[in-house]
Amino acid sequence: MTSTVRDLLLDRLQTGSTPGDRTDNNHVVLAVEGGGMRGAISSGMLLALEQLGLRNSFDEVVGTSAGAISGAFFVAGRGTSGSALYYTVLNSPRFVDRRRLIRSGSVMDLDYLIDEAFEHTGFTWTELVNSDIPLWATVTPASANNTIRLVRVDEDEDHARHVLAATANLPVLAGGSRAIGEHHYVDGGLLEAVPWNSAIKRGATHILVVRSRHFNDNGDPEDPNLFERAAVPRVVRRMHGDHVADLVNQGSERFWIVTESLRAIVEGRASPIGTEGHEPVIEAVLPPIEASLPDRLEVDTSVLMDALTVGAKSMVDYLDLEGFTVEQRVVVNHPRAPVGTVRTNALVPIVRTRRNESR
């Protein structure tokens, strides 16, 4: 019988399985959706996975845009501190400022994010490039002649910086295209906002998709907000050319196809085809339909903190572990885990006990 993703993750925790030293033949990939500042939700989900001791249950991580940023902190073992960036550092005009577009500047300052904000958490690039869990980022080529869609965040610090800047490079909102080697790219979400297909291409047998928004009840594509409708289309073709402009114009329809296909799979109405003809097991964690979601350019501290909490609680609920509650700042709290910075793997014995009790 094929294991569910949830059971496989918890079984690996129970047995002490680690990347590169598995007792099973499965390949588990974490696929993380982007969404700009809405990434606070998926970041909260990764934070919960880390604090519950489940980081080592994954073999690879694939992220799109903000999802790749959160994935970088996760594979480096700093998901908890990285998630705090949203409501402590990035919610300021230094990173997000709509007024810059009027002056032909970028609304989101990715150089500040990559070069300065990361340092606020104690993050080091060595931790990322030497991680035992490979991180892959989706990218969108600025040229129609380039077929590269997925790049590994490795090699060295300089390469890792370029890849993360490229995957999060929202057209116009984050400035011009970004170079990785000899090619230029924009935000990976233009082609694959939710990177479950890339996870399949990585040979996954099991995929956990973490999303920064829920499925639309009516199944329709998400409409761009007023700011994006008014400001972005008139400059994207001039700044990025016809290829990227066409991708932007087709974005809503492509997003709808990707997410509705995922919905059909997780609801059992369709089957994904993996490598060598195998069907990978795919499960998804989403914020509840009633949750109020932040905008991709959100800067309100309370909204972002609430989003982080929603994400963490959604993951705890998915894992179905009794005895855990979600707080606003420390998000995963338990009587035997101190409020404040949670010591690495402090919750592992508790999760293992809950796992035994549930069997």
Side-chain angles (χ1 to χ4, degrees), residues 283-325:
E283 294 173 8
V285 183
L286 302 87
I289 191 69
E290 68 274 9
S292 178
L293 307 182
D295 183 84
R296 73 171 70 203
L297 298 178
E298 185 63 66
V299 293
D300 186 288
T301 300
S302 62
V303 171
L304 293 168
M305 292 178 70
D306 286 346
L308 196 73
T309 303
V310 165
K313 186 178 187 304
S314 298
M315 182 59 70
V316 172
D317 290 345
Y318 160 77
L319 293 169
D320 195 24
L321 295 170
E322 295 183 0
F324 291 87
T325 58

Side-chain angles (χ1 to χ4, degrees), residues 114-179:
I114 301 297
D115 297 332
E116 298 183 44
F118 272 41
E119 296 180 3
H120 287 276
T121 68
F123 177 94
T124 68
W125 292 93
T126 300
E127 292 173 320
L128 173 58
V129 298
N130 293 333
S131 173
D132 54 354
I133 302 177
L135 172 65
W136 295 80
T138 65
V139 291
T140 298
S143 168
N145 296 323
N146 183 2
T147 60
I148 297 172
R149 303 288 187 272
L150 192 65
V151 181
R152 183 168 174 178
V153 188
D154 63 353
E155 293 185 14
D156 53 39
E157 174 181 335
D158 189 55
H159 177 77
R161 287 174 182 267
H162 286 305
V163 175
L164 291 181
T167 186
N169 186 33
L170 288 163
V172 180
L173 296 181
S177 60
R178 297 280 178 149

